[in-house]
Amino acid sequence: MSLQSLQQALGKFAQAPAGHLPTPLEHCPNLSHALNLSIWVKRDDCTGLGFGGNKVRQLIFYVGEALAQNADTLPITGAVQSNFVCTAAAFASKFNLQCHIQLEERVSPTSELYRRNGNVMLSKLLGATLHSFPKAENEAAADAAVYALAEQLRKDGHRPYVIPLGVNSPPLGALGYVQAAIELTTQLQQVDTNVDGQVDEILIASGSALTHTGLLYGLRALSQATSVRGVCVRRDATQQTRRVRQRLDDIEALLQQDITWQDNDINLYDSSLAPGYGQLNSDTEQAIRQAAQSEGLFLDPVYTGKTMAALMQLAKSGQLQGKRVLFWHTGGQSALHAYEDQLIPGGA
Ligand SMILES: Cc1ncc(COP(=O)(O)O)c(C=O)c1O
């Protein structure tokens, strides 16, 4: 598909005017040296609005549609330390909307800091109304509850636009990452990545999978063969592979543009996931420390720390040898403060 056709397909969707784009593409000399690789980082932690992150690109499309429908309230669901809901609250502030956040108890046990600091504190500062959803890991039930909340808001005279997470909703947010694929392709033509402006492999966190799948769709639509490895942060590789496949089909349906992709384009890695969503492991802790102390780069415990831990595991096992690797920084650092007791034990 040509760049113009892809842009035209995206142009049919409303977009909220927000975000600092394009984001920088930077080389990481110290990490590259330490891991004996060429490592680049796509700084989507710098997308602007609130503390930025990948969800800004997604919310540009959700909030664009909400504004087109003349909505006045955004009901949204996510984990207690979700960056998505907090960034939605920032959009709500900017576009004079109200935000109702349903916080899912996905992580247990949790500390006092986890429950009140980081994104929880920021969402309160942004003026959002918080609701609790105690049923742990149940995506369909969480979406059903947020639609019920929207119904109540409608009865109370509001005009809600629900931002769901589950696979039964159109993958509007993924369009932000189809757009990011265009941005990266253009950027790689301008930046000296040493050989032909290419990277061999992209590592990116894969949760709801809209970021990962949007990027993969966009690159393949532009006939870019770069390998995209999704790093599992919520489900194992088998379940996440199924989800990415479904979301690829959903993006094709939404954009009404089929693309050519192979089964082996869907590449998931889950060895840095344990013990589970939102829970630290020692490789992730080490990755957070090493990125901070060698590049001044802050990662988060839930998404980008696990993605960097995956990169380091793969580098150590020789699977990335000789490759130019792009680490896609999706943000999330505002959750760091909720994990202080684990990252800096004793406050020392
Ligand atoms: C910082 C960060 N990175 C990555 C992701 C994963 O993105 P997605 O849900 O589109 O897979 C999230 C999702 O909440 C996130 O907050």
Short mmCIF file of all heavy atoms in Angstrom, two decimals, residues 139-140 143 164-171 207-210 235 239-240 242-248 250:
data_model
loop_
_atom_site.label_atom_id
_atom_site.label_comp_id
_atom_site.label_asym_id
_atom_site.label_seq_id
_atom_site.Cartn_x
_atom_site.Cartn_y
_atom_site.Cartn_z
N GLU A 139 -11.39 -9.20 31.96
CA GLU A 139 -11.49 -8.09 31.01
C GLU A 139 -12.92 -7.85 30.54
O GLU A 139 -13.38 -6.70 30.48
CB GLU A 139 -10.58 -8.41 29.81
CG GLU A 139 -10.41 -7.24 28.88
CD GLU A 139 -9.43 -7.58 27.77
OE1 GLU A 139 -9.65 -8.56 27.03
OE2 GLU A 139 -8.44 -6.85 27.64
N ALA A 140 -13.64 -8.95 30.23
CA ALA A 140 -14.99 -8.79 29.71
C ALA A 140 -15.89 -8.17 30.78
O ALA A 140 -16.70 -7.27 30.50
CB ALA A 140 -15.54 -10.14 29.28
N ASP A 143 -15.15 -4.46 31.13
CA ASP A 143 -15.77 -3.66 30.05
C ASP A 143 -17.28 -3.54 30.29
O ASP A 143 -17.86 -2.46 30.11
CB ASP A 143 -15.49 -4.29 28.68
CG ASP A 143 -14.19 -3.76 28.07
OD1 ASP A 143 -13.52 -2.93 28.72
OD2 ASP A 143 -13.85 -4.17 26.95
N PRO A 164 -13.17 1.49 25.82
CA PRO A 164 -13.03 0.12 26.33
C PRO A 164 -11.64 -0.45 26.05
O PRO A 164 -10.88 0.11 25.27
CB PRO A 164 -14.07 -0.65 25.52
CG PRO A 164 -14.18 0.10 24.24
CD PRO A 164 -13.67 1.51 24.45
N LEU A 165 -11.32 -1.58 26.64
CA LEU A 165 -10.02 -2.21 26.45
C LEU A 165 -10.12 -3.56 25.76
O LEU A 165 -9.18 -4.04 25.16
CB LEU A 165 -9.36 -2.44 27.81
CG LEU A 165 -8.27 -1.49 28.27
CD1 LEU A 165 -7.61 -2.04 29.52
CD2 LEU A 165 -7.20 -1.28 27.19
N GLY A 166 -11.29 -4.19 25.88
CA GLY A 166 -11.44 -5.59 25.45
C GLY A 166 -11.46 -5.76 23.94
O GLY A 166 -11.54 -4.78 23.17
N VAL A 167 -11.40 -7.02 23.51
CA VAL A 167 -11.29 -7.31 22.08
C VAL A 167 -12.61 -7.18 21.32
O VAL A 167 -12.63 -7.32 20.11
CB VAL A 167 -10.73 -8.74 21.84
CG1 VAL A 167 -9.25 -8.80 22.05
CG2 VAL A 167 -11.46 -9.75 22.69
N ASN A 168 -13.71 -6.91 22.04
CA ASN A 168 -14.98 -6.78 21.33
C ASN A 168 -15.27 -5.36 20.88
O ASN A 168 -16.36 -5.07 20.40
CB ASN A 168 -16.12 -7.28 22.22
CG ASN A 168 -15.98 -8.76 22.47
OD1 ASN A 168 -15.54 -9.49 21.58
ND2 ASN A 168 -16.29 -9.21 23.68
N SER A 169 -14.30 -4.48 21.02
CA SER A 169 -14.52 -3.09 20.59
C SER A 169 -13.60 -2.80 19.41
O SER A 169 -12.53 -3.40 19.28
CB SER A 169 -14.18 -2.16 21.75
OG SER A 169 -12.88 -2.46 22.21
N PRO A 170 -14.01 -1.86 18.53
CA PRO A 170 -13.15 -1.55 17.38
C PRO A 170 -11.80 -1.02 17.86
O PRO A 170 -11.74 -0.25 18.82
CB PRO A 170 -13.93 -0.44 16.66
CG PRO A 170 -15.29 -0.43 17.25
CD PRO A 170 -15.22 -1.06 18.60
N PRO A 171 -10.71 -1.42 17.22
CA PRO A 171 -9.37 -1.08 17.71
C PRO A 171 -8.94 0.32 17.31
O PRO A 171 -7.88 0.52 16.70
CB PRO A 171 -8.50 -2.14 17.03
CG PRO A 171 -9.19 -2.40 15.74
CD PRO A 171 -10.66 -2.24 16.00
N GLY A 207 0.29 -5.38 25.57
CA GLY A 207 -0.69 -5.58 26.65
C GLY A 207 -2.07 -5.79 26.05
O GLY A 207 -2.47 -6.92 25.73
N SER A 208 -2.82 -4.69 25.84
CA SER A 208 -4.08 -4.84 25.11
C SER A 208 -3.77 -5.22 23.66
O SER A 208 -4.63 -5.65 22.92
CB SER A 208 -4.87 -3.52 25.13
OG SER A 208 -4.28 -2.57 24.25
N ALA A 209 -2.53 -5.01 23.26
CA ALA A 209 -1.97 -5.36 21.93
C ALA A 209 -2.24 -4.31 20.87
O ALA A 209 -1.83 -4.50 19.71
CB ALA A 209 -2.42 -6.74 21.46
N LEU A 210 -2.89 -3.21 21.21
CA LEU A 210 -3.21 -2.23 20.17
C LEU A 210 -1.96 -1.49 19.69
O LEU A 210 -1.85 -1.14 18.51
CB LEU A 210 -4.27 -1.25 20.66
CG LEU A 210 -5.66 -1.86 20.88
CD1 LEU A 210 -6.67 -0.79 21.26
CD2 LEU A 210 -6.13 -2.63 19.65
N ARG A 235 -0.38 -11.34 29.40
CA ARG A 235 -0.75 -12.75 29.13
C ARG A 235 0.45 -13.46 28.55
O ARG A 235 1.35 -12.82 28.03
CB ARG A 235 -1.87 -12.83 28.08
CG ARG A 235 -3.09 -12.12 28.45
CD ARG A 235 -4.05 -11.96 27.28
NE ARG A 235 -4.96 -10.90 27.68
CZ ARG A 235 -4.70 -9.62 27.48
NH1 ARG A 235 -3.59 -9.23 26.87
NH2 ARG A 235 -5.52 -8.71 27.91
N GLN A 239 -1.57 -16.96 24.38
CA GLN A 239 -2.80 -16.14 24.41
C GLN A 239 -2.61 -14.81 23.66
O GLN A 239 -3.50 -14.34 22.97
CB GLN A 239 -3.18 -15.81 25.85
CG GLN A 239 -3.59 -17.00 26.68
CD GLN A 239 -3.90 -16.55 28.09
OE1 GLN A 239 -4.87 -15.85 28.33
NE2 GLN A 239 -3.06 -16.91 29.04
N GLN A 240 -1.43 -14.23 23.82
CA GLN A 240 -1.20 -12.92 23.21
C GLN A 240 -1.08 -13.03 21.68
O GLN A 240 -1.52 -12.14 20.96
CB GLN A 240 0.06 -12.27 23.82
CG GLN A 240 0.21 -10.79 23.53
CD GLN A 240 -0.84 -9.90 24.23
OE1 GLN A 240 -1.71 -10.38 24.97
NE2 GLN A 240 -0.77 -8.61 23.98
N ARG A 242 -2.77 -15.08 19.85
CA ARG A 242 -4.17 -15.17 19.41
C ARG A 242 -4.77 -13.76 19.35
O ARG A 242 -5.46 -13.38 18.42
CB ARG A 242 -4.95 -16.03 20.41
CG ARG A 242 -6.00 -16.89 19.77
CD ARG A 242 -6.68 -17.79 20.79
NE ARG A 242 -5.84 -18.79 21.38
CZ ARG A 242 -5.74 -19.06 22.69
NH1 ARG A 242 -6.46 -18.41 23.57
NH2 ARG A 242 -4.94 -20.01 23.13
N ARG A 243 -4.47 -12.99 20.37
CA ARG A 243 -5.03 -11.64 20.46
C ARG A 243 -4.50 -10.74 19.34
O ARG A 243 -5.24 -9.99 18.71
CB ARG A 243 -4.68 -11.06 21.83
CG ARG A 243 -5.40 -9.77 22.14
CD ARG A 243 -5.14 -9.38 23.58
NE ARG A 243 -5.79 -8.13 23.89
CZ ARG A 243 -6.81 -8.00 24.72
NH1 ARG A 243 -7.31 -9.04 25.33
NH2 ARG A 243 -7.33 -6.81 24.94
N VAL A 244 -3.20 -10.81 19.10
CA VAL A 244 -2.61 -9.96 18.05
C VAL A 244 -3.20 -10.34 16.69
O VAL A 244 -3.54 -9.47 15.88
CB VAL A 244 -1.06 -10.08 18.05
CG1 VAL A 244 -0.45 -9.38 16.84
CG2 VAL A 244 -0.50 -9.49 19.34
N ARG A 245 -3.36 -11.65 16.45
CA ARG A 245 -3.94 -12.09 15.17
C ARG A 245 -5.35 -11.51 15.01
O ARG A 245 -5.71 -10.95 13.98
CB ARG A 245 -3.99 -13.63 15.14
CG ARG A 245 -4.32 -14.17 13.78
CD ARG A 245 -4.19 -15.68 13.71
NE ARG A 245 -2.82 -16.13 13.83
CZ ARG A 245 -2.39 -17.07 14.69
NH1 ARG A 245 -3.22 -17.65 15.50
NH2 ARG A 245 -1.13 -17.42 14.71
N GLN A 246 -6.14 -11.60 16.08
CA GLN A 246 -7.50 -11.06 16.01
C GLN A 246 -7.49 -9.55 15.78
O GLN A 246 -8.24 -9.02 14.97
CB GLN A 246 -8.27 -11.37 17.30
CG GLN A 246 -9.64 -10.74 17.29
CD GLN A 246 -10.47 -11.03 18.52
OE1 GLN A 246 -10.15 -11.93 19.31
NE2 GLN A 246 -11.53 -10.27 18.70
N ARG A 247 -6.59 -8.86 16.48
CA ARG A 247 -6.56 -7.40 16.34
C ARG A 247 -6.07 -6.97 14.96
O ARG A 247 -6.51 -5.94 14.44
CB ARG A 247 -5.68 -6.78 17.45
CG ARG A 247 -6.32 -6.78 18.84
CD ARG A 247 -7.79 -6.59 18.80
NE ARG A 247 -8.28 -5.58 19.71
CZ ARG A 247 -9.49 -5.01 19.66
NH1 ARG A 247 -10.36 -5.38 18.74
NH2 ARG A 247 -9.87 -4.11 20.52
N LEU A 248 -5.17 -7.79 14.34
CA LEU A 248 -4.75 -7.47 12.96
C LEU A 248 -5.96 -7.53 12.03
O LEU A 248 -6.16 -6.63 11.20
CB LEU A 248 -3.70 -8.48 12.48
CG LEU A 248 -2.22 -8.10 12.65
CD1 LEU A 248 -1.34 -9.22 12.13
CD2 LEU A 248 -1.87 -6.80 11.94
N ASP A 250 -9.01 -7.11 12.92
CA ASP A 250 -9.90 -6.00 13.28
C ASP A 250 -9.42 -4.67 12.67
O ASP A 250 -10.23 -3.84 12.26
CB ASP A 250 -9.97 -5.84 14.81
CG ASP A 250 -10.63 -7.02 15.49
OD1 ASP A 250 -11.33 -7.79 14.80
OD2 ASP A 250 -10.43 -7.18 16.71
#
